[in-house]
């Protein structure tokens, strides 16, 4: 389906070579200050033609807000966002009338729908992600203003060229202190200083070389993106089937070209005994100066039992080498006759540099939806008479709303009954 979310719902539309792409956002709270200037920076970070490491397709990706705002603020009604396609070249794809591209979606879309888009990847194209990034920018602004939430993604590997923490974790099974520090301090400004979007300058040079090698060989190469979400409200996630890490995995693996997802210590954590892997509880000071429970280590990645615990959430996504390359490839036509496919068109030799804002957007959509679900539950619970002390709730515990504030309900605001 083309809709993501339950309370904060986003529906994307458009194909790679139609007149435009965009999204409809349903469920955005009213009163959020919002203009195109709040959305454009992330679209600009995602757009093609940024450097010699990306596709040369020249799109400005200028967003227009069609509905849902007045006087620069959201109305609470559906928000329509659109971006025109200006540099389409559908004639570059006539060969796909004869051959399904290897490892692309041409054949599977034909099997599913009985037809396929005749140019580009259609809905399987990365152009579809423009709507996600636009919607994610709206969600992220709400989270930032309401809770101080920060979301930063960066390229952590290209092919076999990887930041040091990846090799270190493969040896120890758990994240290193240096990696934990990076998660706490990395910013988008640091990430964007390098065309690769890797904040490690030395590794970025090696990644650049690897991508250029693939490009000059008319080939492609994959990589990984690491993402951290800081200042996450507690209590987010819906056990059992909509656990927060499950929703994040769903969101990330819906991005084109993704093949792998791990959260916290990930696969490395399977090598570590429990007494070393467990995150011990300690008392900490919250963002507002209040005393809160936190964890001494964070191998869980900020999520336990499918619910956020207030620590940084971090995860890594694997992107395959782009399927469309400019080499001749032996393959078979739609009618089963062997042949050679020589693909034209303009394509990324490696998608991870442009994938970082897409990962950030999908993370924001997951957290925003989870916040609204939790707020709905807690607002309803706050209308009930106070509970007596029972083993269900330890006596010192005060139920927090997302952001760490205790629920207080004005008696006069409760619905009246006759």
């Amino acid at each position: 389906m083309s809709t993501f979310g339950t309370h904060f719902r986003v529906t994307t539309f458009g194909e790679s070579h139609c007149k435009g792409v965009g999204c409809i956002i349903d469920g955005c709270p009213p009163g959020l200050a919002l203009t195109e200037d709040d959305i454009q920076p992330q679209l600009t970070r995602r757009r093609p033609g940024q450097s010699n490491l990306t596709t040369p397709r020249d799109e400005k990706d200028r967003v227009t807000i069609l509905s849902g705002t007045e006087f620069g603020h959201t109305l609470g009604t559906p928000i329509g966002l659109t971006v025109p396609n200006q540099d389409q070249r559908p004639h570059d794809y006539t060969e796909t009338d004869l051959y399904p591209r290897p490892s692309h979606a041409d054949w599977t879309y034909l099997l599913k729908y009985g037809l396929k888009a005749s140019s580009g990847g259609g809905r399987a194209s990365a152009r579809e992600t423009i709507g996600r990034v636009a919607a994610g920018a709206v969600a992220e602004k709400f989270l930032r203003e309401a809770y101080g939430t920060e979301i930063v993604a960066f390229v952590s590997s290209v092919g076999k060229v990887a930041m040091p923490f990846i090799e270190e974790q493969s040896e120890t099974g758990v994240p290193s202190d240096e990696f934990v520090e990076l998660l706490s301090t990395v910013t988008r400004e640091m990430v964007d200083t390098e065309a690769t979007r890797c904040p490690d300058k030395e590794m970025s040079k090696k990644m650049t070389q690897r991508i250029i090698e693939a490009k000059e060989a008319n080939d492609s190469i994959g990589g990984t993106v690491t993402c951290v979400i800081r200042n996450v409200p507690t209590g987010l996630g819906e056990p059992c089937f909509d656990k927060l890490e499950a929703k994040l995995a769903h969101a990330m693996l819906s991005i084109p070209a993704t093949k792998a997802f791990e959260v916290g210590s990930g696969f490395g954590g399977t090598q570590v005994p429990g007494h070393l892997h467990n995150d011990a509880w300690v008392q900490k000071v919250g963002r507002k100066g209040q005393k809160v429970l936190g964890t001494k280590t964070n191998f869980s990645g900020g999520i336990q039992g499918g619910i956020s615990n207030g620590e940084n959430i971090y995860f890594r996504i694997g992107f395959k080498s782009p399927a469309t390359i400019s080499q001749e490839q032996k393959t078979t036509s739609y009618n089963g006759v062997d042949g050679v496919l020589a693909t034209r068109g303009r394509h990324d030799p490696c998608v991870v540099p442009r994938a970082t804002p897409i990962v950030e957007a999908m993370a924001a959509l997951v957290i925003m939806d989870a916040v609204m679900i939790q707020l709905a539950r807690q607002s309803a619970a706050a209308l009930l008479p106070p509970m007596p002390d029972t083993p269900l709730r330890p006596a010192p515990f005060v139920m927090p709303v997302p952001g760490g504030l205790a629920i207080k309900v004005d008696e006069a605001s409760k619905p009246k009954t006759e």
Side-chain angles (χ1 to χ4, degrees):
M1 302 297 289
S2 294
T3 300
F4 185 83
T6 54
H7 286 46
F8 190 91
R9 293 172 60 86
V10 176
T11 301
T12 67
F13 62 84
E15 294 85 37
S16 56
H17 291 270
C18 67
K19 291 183 178 180
V21 293
C23 69
I24 301 293
I25 305 171
D26 202 2
C28 182
L32 176 67
L34 185 70
T35 68
E36 285 90 348
D37 290 342
D38 296 308
I39 302 168
Q40 191 60 51
Q42 282 294 80
L43 288 175
T44 299
R45 295 179 75 225
R46 193 221 72 94
R47 79 174 186 85
Q50 298 179 40
S51 72
N52 65 338
L53 303 183
T54 66
T55 170
R57 180 170 174 169
D58 186 17
E59 296 281 2
K60 304 306 179 188
D61 289 350
R62 291 291 178 186
V63 66
T64 299
I65 299 177
L66 298 177
S67 64
T69 66
E70 279 191 25
F71 301 106
H73 288 78
T74 56
L75 298 172
T77 54
I79 300 171
L81 304 173
T82 184
V83 171
N85 285 332
Q86 297 178 320
D87 191 21
Q88 312 102 309
R89 294 184 188 175
H91 55 274
D92 282 352
Y93 297 89
T94 53
E95 66 274 4
T96 62
D97 294 340
L98 301 175
Y99 298 99
R101 289 169 291 178
S103 287
H104 219 296
D106 301 327
W107 180 239
T108 51
Y109 265 63
L110 189 61
L111 290 174
K112 183 171 185 61
Y113 298 105
L115 48 82
K116 68 174 185 67
S118 62
S119 59
R123 288 292 285 168
S125 167
R127 291 296 291 169
E128 178 272 332
T129 63
I130 286 175
R132 304 175 187 227
V133 173
V138 178
E140 188 178 357
K141 181 169 188 186
F142 178 92
L143 294 170
R144 183 171 59 249
E145 294 193 355
Y147 307 114
T149 303
E150 300 172 337
I151 305 174
V152 182
F154 57 91
V155 173
S156 44
S157 70
V158 170
K160 294 182 179 181
V161 180
M163 293 181 70
F165 73 82
I166 293 179
E167 184 176 349
E168 291 168 3
Q169 185 170 344
S170 68
E171 295 176 356
T172 65
V174 294
S176 65
D177 292 341
E178 291 76 13
F179 176 56
V180 172
E181 177 66 17
L182 176 65
L183 293 179
S184 298
T185 58
V186 68
T187 65
R188 288 183 185 171
E189 289 73 21
M190 293 168 57
V191 172
D192 287 349
T193 58
E194 301 293 326
T196 59
R197 296 247 163 81
C198 173
D200 184 319
K201 291 185 180 297
E202 291 304 312
M203 296 311 302
S204 179
K205 292 177 182 178
K206 296 179 181 180
M207 291 178 185
T208 298
Q209 182 179 355
R210 182 64 186 91
I211 295 173
I212 291 176
E213 286 176 2
K215 182 178 180 180
E216 291 177 345
N218 291 324
D219 210 339
S220 62
I221 190 67
T224 62
V225 172
T226 297
C227 183
V228 60
I229 314 174
R230 299 189 287 253
N231 300 327
V232 183
T234 57
L236 306 185
E238 301 299 311
C240 290
F241 298 109
D242 288 338
K243 294 178 179 179
L244 194 57
E245 67 262 56
K247 297 297 287 186
L248 285 168
H250 176 185
M252 299 306 150
L253 293 177
S254 74
I255 299 172
T258 51
K259 284 296 180 183
F261 174 86
E262 65 176 10
V263 61
S265 60
F267 290 104
T270 64
Q271 307 167 25
V272 182
H275 75 279
L276 295 176
H277 189 270
N278 288 343
D279 296 319
W281 294 104
V282 294
Q283 191 171 81
K284 295 183 176 181
V285 178
R287 290 183 62 245
K288 298 181 182 295
Q290 76 279 26
K291 293 181 179 180
V292 296
L293 281 186
T295 58
K296 185 176 182 180
T297 54
N298 187 21
F299 303 148
S300 301
I303 304 171
Q304 292 167 326
I307 302 168
S308 62
N309 63 12
E311 302 292 338
N312 290 344
I313 294 174
Y314 62 95
F315 49 89
R316 188 158 65 110
I317 311 102
F319 288 81
K320 68 172 184 174
S321 303
T324 305
I325 58 177
S326 296
Q327 291 185 11
E328 291 188 349
Q329 299 177 82
K330 292 182 179 180
T331 186
T332 300
S333 66
Y334 288 103
N335 59 7
V337 178
D338 291 344
V340 176
L341 172 64
T343 306
R344 292 170 291 158
R346 299 153 296 170
H347 308 283
D348 291 274
C350 180
V351 299
V352 290
R354 291 207 297 133
T356 52
I358 305 171
V359 168
E360 291 166 351
M362 294 308 296
L365 295 180
V366 170
I367 299 300
M368 181 68 183
D369 197 42
V371 162
M372 295 187 69
I373 293 171
Q374 182 69 352
L375 286 175
R377 171 186 290 107
Q378 292 181 331
S379 296
L383 299 174
L384 298 173
M387 278 183 58
D389 289 341
T390 72
L392 297 175
R393 180 182 294 171
F397 181 76
V398 177
M399 183 67 179
V401 298
L405 303 178
I407 294 178
K408 293 182 180 179
V409 178
D410 182 357
E411 291 294 323
S413 68
K414 289 187 177 182
K416 300 298 188 294
T417 57
E418 296 298 330

